[in-house]
Amino acid sequence: MKTARGYLLPVTLFAVPLLLALIGPFFASGDTTKDVPFDANGRLGTDFVGRDVWNEVLLGGRSLILVAVAATICTYVVAVPIGLIAGMTRSRGLDEVLMRPLDLLLAVPSMLMLLLLVSIAPQSVWLLVGVVALINLPDVIRISRAAALSLSARPAVEAMRLQGESRIRIGLGYVARSMRRTLAADVGTRFTGATYLIASASFLGVGISPQASDWAAMVDRNRGGLFVQPWAVVVPALLLVMMAVGANLVFDRMLRGTAR
């Protein structure tokens, strides 16, 4: 019972924006009629061009969450195998070949890389997914490599080698499975980072269509009327914060539970 109560707040914080993003578009109105800008009448009033804020909230979360989830998955699908190979290899040359290009990526600020890559190509959701995954790639590879290095030095791995087990079996059957807790601890942080990176891109008007409904873009577009009609800014900003904080708390609770 105590454990269930411990999950209540994290799950609530994460589930509310997630469910709103996933099922909200089904309840959104297709009416594109525009009213008076920054009007306080109605559920949440209107935005800077007179659109219904509640309707924009229902429509604005799906693209953000789907892009963040897709970018996070792509990051781990690519980074974990590279980190595993780099951590288990006994060839210093191969380790250098795999790890040194990451230093170049780390030397470029994430927002600068995002602006450069997105600005030279047409706006595309999949391009944004790829760019966010690329930005997160070096950190996840380094974490995976460090975990693999530590695990591959264990006596159990040496015993498996002496028994004639293949590197693939050792890597996938023991090292990769033992890395799960380390990677699980990183997923929440990485998802949050991807969310804020995508939100930052929306603030700058890159990666999404200027006419698209998007929580992050709502904060940027409506900030001029914050003191006139605050709901157009406060509600989407609050949903972004709830999703980020909730994701980290959920993974933190899950790790505490498996550690017992």
Side-chain angles (χ1 to χ4, degrees):
M1 188 67 179
K2 185 177 180 180
T3 303
R5 286 200 301 267
Y7 275 97
L8 181 60
L9 178 60
V11 170
T12 301
L13 286 173
F14 186 60
V16 169
L18 180 64
L19 290 175
L20 190 62
L22 295 179
I23 68 176
F26 295 106
F27 296 94
S29 170
D31 185 11
T32 58
T33 303
K34 296 180 181 179
D35 207 336
V36 179
F38 294 129
D39 187 0
N41 294 325
R43 291 180 182 176
L44 296 175
T46 60
D47 65 2
F48 73 114
V49 291
R51 292 177 299 192
D52 182 63
V53 171
W54 174 244
N55 200 58
E56 291 298 296
V57 167
L58 291 176
L59 292 170
R62 178 177 289 184
S63 59
L64 176 68
I65 289 181
L66 290 181
V67 171
V69 170
T72 303
I73 291 174
C74 290
T75 299
Y76 284 93
V77 167
V78 176
V80 172
I82 295 175
L84 187 62
I85 293 171
M88 291 192 62
T89 184
R90 295 189 172 185
S91 168
R92 183 169 180 81
L94 178 59
D95 184 47
E96 291 291 321
V97 168
L98 292 173
M99 300 305 295
R100 292 294 71 81
L102 301 180
D103 295 336
L104 297 177
L105 292 177
L106 288 171
V108 182
S110 59
M111 281 308 302
L112 177 59
M113 185 184 299
L114 180 68
L115 289 172
L116 287 174
L117 293 178
V118 175
S119 63
I120 62 176
Q123 289 182 336
S124 167
V125 171
W126 292 110
L127 175 64
L128 187 59
V129 169
V131 172
V132 174
L134 180 65
I135 290 171
N136 285 322
L137 204 62
D139 289 330
V140 180
I141 291 177
R142 286 174 173 271
I143 291 171
S144 303
R145 176 180 177 271
L149 277 171
S150 175
L151 291 166
S152 62
R154 289 183 176 179
V157 173
E158 190 61 33
M160 293 175 72
R161 287 197 180 105
L162 293 175
Q163 291 175 359
E165 298 285 358
S166 67
R167 290 189 178 183
I168 294 178
R169 186 174 178 82
I170 295 172
L172 297 180
Y174 178 77
V175 177
R177 290 181 61 187
S178 301
M179 290 167 56
R180 288 180 300 178
R181 281 184 56 81
T182 301
L183 296 177
D186 183 63
V187 169
T189 303
R190 206 60 52 197
F191 174 76
T192 302
T195 301
Y196 280 131
L197 195 57
I198 296 163
S200 299
S202 298
F203 293 153
L204 298 173
V206 297
I208 61 168
S209 170
Q211 290 78 33
S213 299
D214 182 273
W215 289 345
M218 288 177 67
V219 176
D220 177 54
R221 295 166 184 166
N222 297 303
R223 67 178 187 271
L226 178 61
F227 298 104
V228 179
Q229 211 291 80
W231 298 121
V233 175
V234 172
V235 172
L238 183 61
L239 289 169
L240 289 171
V241 172
M242 287 174 63
M243 185 172 60
V245 174
N248 278 308
L249 289 177
V250 166
F251 279 103
D252 182 59
R253 290 289 181 181
M254 289 172 61
L255 289 171
R256 288 185 186 180
T258 57
R260 293 173 183 172

